[in-house]
């Protein structure tokens, strides 16, 4: 009986851990290839709903080209249409996709990789290949989407959780400062919506340097909608007048916050006071 209880507890722990395990997207370069699990559809068929006149690059090249984005594309969160700078030719190097099941409905999230970052977007399709939603996430000079840009917000299973977390980071660097802004989006069967954002700054001058790094993860649990934890770790170092010799030890400070699901409001509520205070301090001083 003791072993049975131990195994049962272990199974619960593993299920809870897997619920927050980052999802790994798959990469596609051949846009003429068939879409797995969607019979009769190619990646060009899907992308034609997002880009105008999209066509596969001629062999031996891979990827695709287009002339414009479709009217269905709209900005979300900290993104803005003013950052879209594509001219009459859009080069799509590849795309990353992640299939997931939400409330007994199969969905496909696609993140195309665009040359020169002229636009950055996420698209959501059903398993008939029909576009449900397409959002512009570009809000700075550069936008990046990591391999784990989708995180389930509940336990996987035949029905699936009510939603998933998608993230995209806008950033720029100059000679002495850096700026990263990570957008948190809720993915539900009917589209994307904003949850919030996490900012991380960096600054370097002769006498001091600090860097900030953001970490965002769904909390361990079984759902139905997991808490989303965020932390920004700041590392600070002071220097002597020669701008090289370090003075004292590096100091490390972590600022925390989280978003918790409110079932009555059917929305995530922010509990991010520390992160908000950090943002205000950074804006005041830099």
């Amino acid at each position: 009986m003791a072993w049975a209880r131990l195994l049962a507890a272990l199974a619960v722990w593993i299920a809870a851990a897997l619920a927050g395990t980052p999802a790994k997207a798959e990469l596609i370069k051949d846009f003429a290839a068939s879409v797995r699990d969607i019979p009769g559809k190619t990646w060009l068929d899907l992308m034609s709903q997002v880009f105008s006149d999209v066509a596969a690059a001629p062999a031996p090249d891979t990827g695709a080209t287009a002339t414009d984005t479709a009217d269905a594309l709209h900005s979300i969160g900290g993104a803005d249409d003013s950052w879209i700078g594509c001219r009459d030719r859009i080069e799509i190097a590849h795309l990353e996709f992640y299939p997931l099941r939400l409330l007994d409905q199969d969905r496909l999230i696609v993140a195309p990789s665009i040359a020169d970052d002229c636009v950055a977007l996420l698209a959501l399709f059903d398993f008939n290949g029909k576009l449900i939603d397409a959002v512009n996430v570009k809000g700075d000079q550069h936008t990046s989407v990591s391999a784990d840009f989708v995180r389930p917000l509940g336990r996987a299973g035949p029905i699936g959780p009510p939603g998933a977390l998608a993230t995209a980071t806008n950033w720029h660097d100059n000679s002495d400062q850096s700026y990263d802004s990570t957008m948190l989006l809720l993915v539900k069967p009917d589209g994307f919506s904003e949850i919030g954002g996490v900012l991380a700054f960096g600054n370097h001058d002769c006498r001091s340097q600090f860097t900030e790094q953001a970490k965002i993860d769904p909390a361990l649990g079984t759902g139905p909608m997991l808490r989303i934890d965020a932390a920004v770790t700041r590392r600070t170092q002071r220097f002597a007048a020669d701008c090289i010799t370090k003075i004292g030890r590096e100091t490390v400070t972590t600022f925390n916050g989280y978003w918790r699901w409110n079932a009555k409001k059917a929305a995530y509520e922010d509990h991010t006071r520390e992160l908000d205070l950090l943002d205000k301090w950074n804006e005041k001083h830099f």
Side-chain angles (χ1 to χ4, degrees):
M1 293 297 292
W3 277 106
R5 287 194 297 269
L6 178 60
L7 290 174
L10 182 61
V12 170
W13 183 88
I14 292 173
L18 289 177
T21 299
K24 297 300 182 182
E26 298 182 56
L27 190 143
I28 293 292
K29 294 183 177 181
D30 182 4
F31 282 62
S34 298
V35 181
R36 191 182 66 210
D37 300 327
I38 304 182
K41 296 290 185 180
T42 68
W43 291 105
L44 282 177
D45 294 328
L46 271 59
M47 289 297 96
S48 66
Q49 302 170 69
V50 181
F51 297 99
S52 302
D53 303 322
V54 65
D61 295 335
T62 58
T65 60
T67 58
D68 201 356
T69 56
D71 293 339
L73 185 68
H74 62 98
S75 293
I76 191 171
D80 192 285
D81 291 355
S82 64
W83 283 102
I84 300 178
C86 303
R87 299 184 179 179
D88 57 356
R89 181 179 174 86
I90 301 172
E91 297 184 4
I92 311 169
H94 61 264
L95 62 81
E96 293 176 281
F97 78 95
Y98 181 73
L100 71 166
R101 190 166 182 81
L102 302 174
L103 291 179
D104 207 25
Q105 301 178 68
D106 292 315
R107 294 293 184 260
L108 192 68
I109 301 178
V110 177
S113 177
I114 312 298
D116 71 18
D117 279 353
C118 72
V119 65
L121 63 91
L122 300 178
L124 182 69
F125 297 88
D126 66 18
F127 259 47
N128 292 316
K130 179 181 178 182
L131 179 68
I132 295 174
D133 197 9
V135 292
N136 168 49
V137 294
K138 186 172 175 62
D140 206 332
Q141 293 178 4
H142 306 286
T143 306
S144 59
V145 174
S146 64
D148 59 351
F149 74 99
V150 179
R151 318 280 188 94
L153 287 170
R155 182 184 297 178
I159 294 178
L165 169 68
T167 56
T169 300
N170 287 291
W171 59 278
H172 72 261
D173 296 331
N174 55 37
S175 59
D176 56 7
Q177 291 184 331
S178 63
Y179 172 94
D180 295 344
S181 176
T182 300
M183 188 183 307
L184 283 65
L185 301 179
L186 176 61
V187 187
K188 299 182 76 173
D190 59 351
F192 300 94
S193 60
E194 182 186 15
I195 297 174
V198 178
L199 299 176
F201 289 84
N203 186 78
H204 186 153
D205 57 37
C206 175
R207 302 304 299 268
S208 67
Q209 170 184 292
F210 77 83
T211 61
E212 294 176 354
Q213 184 172 9
K215 181 177 175 60
I216 301 164
D217 286 304
L220 296 181
T222 57
M225 291 289 270
L226 299 177
R227 187 183 77 239
I228 301 169
D229 293 335
V232 174
T233 300
R234 169 184 279 192
R235 298 179 179 274
T236 304
Q237 180 67 61
R238 296 192 177 278
F239 298 93
D242 62 5
C243 306
I244 299 174
T245 305
K246 295 180 180 180
I247 300 177
R249 295 182 178 180
E250 177 185 68
T251 59
V252 180
T253 309
T254 300
F255 303 82
N256 296 287
Y258 64 92
W259 288 262
R260 187 186 298 277
W261 181 251
N262 185 318
K264 292 183 178 179
K265 296 181 179 180
Y268 273 96
E269 292 183 334
D270 64 277
H271 300 265
T272 54
R273 184 175 181 274
E274 285 187 16
L275 298 176
D276 295 340
L277 290 174
L278 175 62
D279 293 346
K280 291 179 180 179
W281 189 91
N282 282 328
E283 290 175 3
K284 180 179 180 180
H285 290 80
F286 301 100

